[in-house]
Amino acid sequence: MNEATTEAPKLTAKDFASNQEVRWCPGCGDYAILKAVQKTLADVEAKTENTVFVSGIGCASRFPYYMATYGFHSIHGRAPAIATGIKLANPDLDVWIISGDGDALSIGGNHFVHLVRRNVDVQFLLFNNEIYGLTKGQFSPTSRVGTRSPSSPLGCIENPVSAVQLALGSGGHFVARAVDTAQKELTETLKRAHAFKGTSFVEIFQNCVVYNDGAFDAFTAKDKAADMQIHVEHGKPLIFGRERNKGLRIVSGALALEVVTIGENGVTEADILVHDETNRMLGCLLADMNEPEFPVAMGVLYCKPGHIFEVEIRKMVEAQTSHATTSLNDVLRQGHTWAVGGDADEA
Ligand SMILES: Cc1ncc(C[n+]2csc(CCOP(=O)(O)OP(=O)(O)O)c2C)c(N)n1
Ligand code: SF4
């Protein structure tokens, strides 16, 4: 007798799309990211019932509506707190945070830092369009000096924060970068982020066609990408350029990188630095590279597992509940305590 198979059919990217009408401006980079995330979930054989998207407020944060998974469109900058609560309540859920540069780094900056340093096991996708899209184009913490916007008609005078440097400086264990329209690389990076246990932070350059169109053209335009981007891969030499003849090496006698050309001034491939994604200092140097002097680094800049917040909390709760000898009241009253009393007038 043939045994009936009960295996569920493999889901496709379409199965992760909800029936909601997508309400981003035509041409917005968010569409490409949505597509890449849906494909990633299908590729990693994620389950709709086990997946949660949590967002704050902004155009990017409309994301959970468009996913056929669980979702939480929360409050401005507070997705990390909600995602942490979800993971503490049910660590088996696969939690993704979707945030804009304003949401994550301005009102949510403090929450972002603490999520990352705690290493809660979530994927944090930062859609960086260097502007506030939803609130009609004010400058954001990542807007470059000189950016003109409705709130800075004379040009932004504030220095921008680097999202990847902030993530590294916050003790991040997985820090990566990608471009919205580079679907193949973006999907590969998202798969790595998904496989990582701990907070995996991915900054995605996202074009806002309405308020900051072309902000990343200098390194994302078709004719510029090969020379102005470097795709880093663990164990591979840091080579880039249309002719694959440019590379990065450490400046002799200094903790700095420089761009060199293979075949010129005696430079050979052996001189080119090999990417080590477990080296935080190298991650910082790569994160610090800006065009036009340097190519912009894409891919996994840093990856090194560490303690996971919800795992450690569970261990603590377990230890406390199985060996508890003292009550909270006892804990509060142990050590040096004073009884406050007497006549207030005597003081
Ligand atoms: C407490 C609070 N303050 C301010 C706002 C107004 N507000 C809504 S979205 C937003 C910024 C969104 O920008 P960003 O996070 O970069 O996302 P984008 O819209 O560009 O995707 C602001 C300031 C709000 N909704 N709540
Ligand atoms: S305002 Fe910008 S970020 Fe918002 S939906 Fe439109 S194009 Fe996208």
Side-chain angles (χ1 to χ4, degrees):
M1 193 173 83
N2 284 340
E3 272 189 32
T5 61
T6 52
E7 228 175 80
K10 239 175 127 185
L11 299 180
T12 67
K14 275 194 184 139
D15 293 317
F16 287 94
S18 76
N19 59 3
Q20 297 294 297
E21 182 198 343
V22 184
R23 294 207 192 146
W24 288 316
C25 307
C28 173
D30 289 354
Y31 288 96
I33 306 174
L34 179 65
K35 209 171 116 201
V37 171
Q38 289 166 345
K39 177 166 180 352
T40 300
L41 289 175
D43 287 355
V44 300
E45 298 185 26
K47 294 186 170 63
T48 52
E49 68 276 17
N50 207 40
T51 309
V52 189
F53 280 82
V54 187
S55 64
I57 299 292
C59 297
S61 292
R62 294 192 57 78
F63 202 94
Y65 296 119
Y66 309 137
M67 298 299 299
T69 62
Y70 287 99
F72 205 137
H73 186 190
S74 72
I75 46 175
H76 203 16
R78 300 303 185 258
I82 291 170
T84 303
I86 293 171
K87 282 304 280 192
L88 284 175
N90 187 350
D92 294 335
L93 291 176
D94 187 16
V95 178
W96 298 71
I97 295 177
I98 306 293
S99 192
D101 41 301
D103 187 70
L105 304 176
S106 186
I107 193 169
N110 189 28
H111 286 247
F112 172 76
V113 165
H114 297 292
L115 175 95
V116 170
R117 87 179 165 80
R118 285 177 181 144
N119 204 28
V120 183
D121 184 20
V122 297
Q123 290 75 244
F124 192 114
L125 310 189
L126 175 76
F127 294 19
N128 185 4
N129 53 20
E130 293 189 358
I131 209 82
Y132 287 179
L134 190 75
T135 47
K136 304 206 181 311
Q138 291 97 339
F139 68 81
S140 86
T142 55
S143 298
R144 281 168 252 186
V145 172
T147 301
R148 287 178 196 277
S149 76
S151 64
S152 61
L154 300 180
C156 174
I157 55 162
E158 297 176 12
N159 289 315
V161 66
S162 156
V164 281
Q165 289 196 49
L166 182 65
L168 285 165
S170 304
H173 288 268
F174 181 102
V175 178
R177 215 156 42 183
V179 174
D180 53 5
T181 48
Q183 289 285 297
K184 194 169 164 285
E185 288 89 356
L186 174 56
T187 309
E188 286 310 311
T189 302
L190 293 178
K191 280 192 217 168
R192 286 280 322 267
H194 182 262
F196 184 77
K197 299 283 169 245
T199 305
S200 33
F201 173 70
V202 186
E203 176 186 31
I204 307 169
F205 293 111
Q206 174 247 324
N207 194 35
C208 169
V209 283
V210 175
Y211 297 111
N212 209 13
D213 194 21
F216 310 114
D217 276 2
F219 59 92
T220 61
K222 272 206 178 107
D223 57 332
K224 303 266 172 53
D227 285 325
M228 295 320 300
Q229 286 180 34
I230 181 164
H231 293 264
V232 304
E233 227 179 298
H234 184 64
K236 300 255 173 83
L238 291 162
I239 290 177
F240 67 104
R242 200 180 310 273
E243 286 158 36
R244 305 288 300 161
N245 65 341
K246 289 182 185 164
L248 298 172
R249 76 171 178 191
I250 296 281
V251 177
S252 169
L255 188 53
L257 295 175
E258 66 178 345
V259 172
V260 288
T261 305
I262 299 164
E264 280 179 16
N265 304 317
V267 174
T268 68
E269 198 173 321
D271 296 310
I272 305 300
L273 198 58
V274 170
H275 183 43
D276 174 4
E277 67 183 18
T278 67
N279 182 334
R280 185 178 287 272
M281 261 336 281
L282 178 58
C284 292
L285 290 172
L286 292 170
D288 199 31
M289 295 195 312
N290 288 308
E291 47 79 26
E293 194 193 343
F294 286 101
V296 180
M298 303 295 167
V300 181
L301 309 189
Y302 179 69
C303 173
K304 196 172 188 178
H307 290 309
I308 299 162
F309 183 66
E310 62 270 29
V311 172
E312 297 304 313
I313 291 267
R314 291 230 150 199
K315 277 191 213 158
M316 239 186 239
V317 172
E318 178 90 359
Q320 199 57 26
T321 44
S322 55
H323 309 292
T325 51
T326 47
S327 65
L328 179 61
N329 198 25
D330 293 336
V331 173
L332 291 174
R333 285 165 196 279
Q334 73 189 0
H336 298 291
T337 55
W338 293 267
V340 180
D343 191 337
D345 290 342
E346 284 173 15

